[in-house]
Amino acid sequence: PPASQCNTAPVQCCNSVQKAGSPGIATLLGLLGIVVQDVNVPIGLTCSPITAIGVGSGASCNNQAVCCENNSFNGVVAIGCTPVNIAL
């Protein structure tokens, strides 16, 4: 969805987004005690929110702007991330 329609949480800027089954991601999820049922779920790493004020022409995310279903892990990981276009 476009950044303005991210209904699950604020748009996040993540350092990287990889599948849950990737070797490094699987290890990190295991260490954090996070169970993900599908190895293809996109996981965002080291994420921080992009404020609503920043969305649009003033927004910047040098890495991956995403909308995530579950970001309850203090930005270390975010689960179910889909890329968004913040240049709206």
Side-chain angles (χ1 to χ4, degrees):
S4 60
Q5 296 179 9
C6 184
N7 297 324
T8 55
V11 175
Q12 303 283 315
C13 183
C14 298
N15 283 345
S16 70
V17 177
Q18 301 176 33
K19 294 188 184 218
S22 300
I25 301 297
T27 300
L28 178 62
L29 293 174
L31 290 171
L32 294 172
I34 301 169
V35 177
V36 178
Q37 299 298 323
D38 185 351
V39 296
N40 292 313
V41 171
I43 305 293
L45 296 177
T46 318
C47 303
S48 57
I50 299 174
T51 63
I53 295 169
V55 173
S57 60
S60 67
C61 177
N62 294 329
N63 298 308
Q64 181 68 57
V66 292
C67 182
C68 302
E69 295 173 12
N70 183 349
N71 190 30
S72 58
F73 305 101
N74 296 320
V76 176
V77 295
I79 299 172
C81 299
T82 341
V84 293
N85 180 4
I86 59 173
L88 296 174

